[in-house]
DNA sequence: CACACGTGGTA
DNA sequence: TTACCAAGTGT
């Protein structure tokens, strides 16, 4: 009898321990899964949960979102962070409505061509919504594979082709089983093989983990540079956009000026938001969330 | 490849 | 309190 594979062990653990998340329910279609994946880009599950439910209640289909204003998508995004994701998701819905008859495509290259859909999200939709055999590599999977298989600490970099290859090598042949394995790897990385204090004592793969066998070595090279926030343009953009999200009517400039005392940075942030399409300037020095083309 | 891009929770 | 971290993407 062959030794149980990494994927088999992960799936067995997943069968018994998976969190009950709405985008994993059988009734979650490709659109719901796509929405969840975009929301989960750099935002923790607990904060996505309520936003996900509200979003799909309002826009159950890509066509429904496409028919609404982009500014409404930005408003609904609330405080999930990186509001450009909301704008891209609106653009994405428009593209799906126009180019794909309102149906989220199942072809990887067509998915990759959608706004806001990159290496990770495209494969996540292909695997989780359409049951394809695709390596789905996010920060959790990267860390898990780097440790368990390569015996190394993950550098915190973004996913590279080599990461896809390494993960693909772990996937069973049967597409549906491979997709299940991808979900299991992700869950393992998210709740067991976590970044700071990995819970090796409850890990189903601890016996064969290369990282643990090597004495849990720390990161080799220089770690990811610290992400500062206080005093950055990002913070100022966030403050400006928060005002516009709450406002029903177009906002006069003085109401934006009060959020940040330094005019040079404040103006740069506002210009950046306009440049990015997150804010529309109106005649009379008024500003609003975008109404669309 | 490095950097910009929000927000909030935890150690 | 500072620092890290969270289902990344686009330039």
């Amino acid at each position: 009898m062959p030794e149980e594979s990494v994927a088999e062990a992960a799936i067995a653990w997943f069968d018994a321990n998976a969190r009950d998340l709405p985008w994993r329910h059988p009734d979650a279609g490709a659109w719901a899964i796509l929405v969840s994946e975009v929301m989960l880009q750099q935002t923790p599950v607990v904060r996505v949960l309520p936003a996900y439910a509200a979003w799909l209640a309002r826009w159950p289909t890509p066509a429904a979102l496409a028919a609404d204003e982009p500014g409404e998508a930005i408003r609904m995004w609330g405080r999930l962070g990186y509001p450009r994701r909301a704008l891209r998701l609106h653009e994405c819905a428009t593209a799906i409505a126009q180019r794909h008859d309102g149906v989220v495509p199942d072809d990887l290259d067509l998915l990759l061509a959608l706004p806001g859909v990159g290496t990770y999200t495209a494969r996540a939709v292909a695997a989780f919504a359409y049951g394809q055999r695709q390596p789905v590599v996010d920060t959790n999977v990267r860390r898990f594979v780097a440790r368990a298989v390569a015996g190394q600490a993950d550098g915190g970099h973004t996913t590279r082709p080599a990461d896809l290859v390494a993960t693909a090598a772990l996937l069973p042949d049967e597409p549906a089983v491979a997709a299940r394995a991808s979900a299991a790897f992700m869950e393992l990385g998210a709740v067991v093989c976590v970044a700071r204090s990995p819970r090796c004592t409850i890990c189903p793969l601890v016996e064969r983990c290369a990282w643990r066998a090597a004495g849990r070595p720390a990161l080799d090279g220089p770690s990811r540079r610290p992400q500062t926030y206080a005093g950055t343009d990002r913070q100022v953009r966030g403050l400006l956009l928060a005002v516009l999200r709450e406002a029903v009517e177009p906002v006069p400039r003085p109401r934006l000026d009060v959020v940040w005392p330094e005019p040079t940075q404040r103006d740069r942030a506002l210009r950046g938001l306009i440049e990015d399409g997150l804010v529309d300037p109106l005649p009379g020095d008024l500003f609003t969330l975008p109404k669309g083309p």
Side-chain angles (χ1 to χ4, degrees):
Chain A
M1 172 179 169
E3 186 185 359
E4 186 186 42
S5 72
V6 170
E8 287 169 338
I11 289 172
W13 172 85
F14 188 63
D15 287 342
N17 297 282
R19 289 169 294 175
D20 180 27
L21 301 174
W23 42 86
R24 290 178 179 159
H25 289 192
D27 63 336
W31 170 240
I33 290 172
L34 174 55
V35 168
S36 78
E37 295 300 345
V38 174
M39 287 186 169
L40 287 162
Q41 292 168 6
Q42 303 283 279
T43 300
V45 167
V46 285
R47 282 170 48 206
V48 165
L49 254 13
Y52 168 85
W55 189 280
L56 288 172
R58 179 166 178 183
W59 299 305
T61 64
L65 176 56
D68 218 328
E69 296 171 357
E72 284 307 295
I74 295 167
R75 199 188 305 279
M76 274 300 273
W77 199 254
R79 306 188 68 78
L80 284 184
Y82 293 144
R84 49 175 43 174
R85 288 181 293 162
L87 186 60
R88 299 239 173 83
L89 192 48
H90 183 273
E91 294 169 0
C92 181
T94 303
I96 291 169
Q98 291 180 350
R99 305 205 292 257
H100 304 298
D101 252 356
V103 179
V104 178
D106 61 0
D107 177 80
L108 184 61
D109 289 322
L110 294 179
L111 286 164
L112 284 168
L114 296 171
V117 176
T119 304
Y120 163 76
T121 303
R123 288 173 173 77
V125 171
F128 302 145
Y130 294 115
Q132 296 174 27
R133 183 183 185 280
Q134 291 284 168
V136 183
V137 184
D138 70 336
T139 187
N140 295 309
V141 175
R142 236 170 28 236
R143 183 175 54 244
F144 166 70
V145 173
R147 284 173 176 170
V149 178
Q152 298 166 359
D154 179 54
H157 53 68
T158 55
T159 295
R160 293 179 288 202
D163 298 316
L164 295 179
V165 173
T167 302
L170 301 176
L171 296 179
D173 290 335
E174 183 64 33
V177 183
R180 183 85 177 157
S182 288
F185 294 158
M186 206 172 303
E187 188 78 346
L188 228 24
V191 308
V192 176
C193 197
V194 295
R196 282 194 235 186
S197 301
R199 306 166 67 191
C200 299
T201 55
I202 64 164
C203 181
L205 291 160
V206 65
E207 299 295 339
R208 74 181 77 179
C209 177
W211 186 60
R212 190 164 186 292
R216 295 168 50 153
L219 189 58
D220 199 329
S223 67
R224 188 171 42 182
R225 74 167 178 35
Q227 54 175 177
T228 51
Y229 181 64
T232 61
D233 285 5
R234 279 155 75 185
Q235 182 186 19
V236 182
R237 287 166 59 110
L239 293 169
L240 292 170
L241 210 52
V243 172
L244 294 167
R245 269 201 311 266
E246 301 307 314
V248 181
E249 300 289 313
V251 173
R253 188 186 288 270
R255 282 193 51 205
L256 295 175
D257 288 347
V258 298
V259 306
W260 196 254
E262 211 287 294
T264 303
Q265 186 177 26
R266 192 179 62 219
D267 290 348
R268 185 173 63 237
L270 181 56
R271 273 187 283 107
L273 288 169
I274 294 168
E275 181 91 7
D276 292 346
L278 290 166
V279 172
D280 272 357
L282 265 32
D285 226 19
L286 297 171
F287 300 89
T288 179
L289 296 179
K291 299 285 188 191

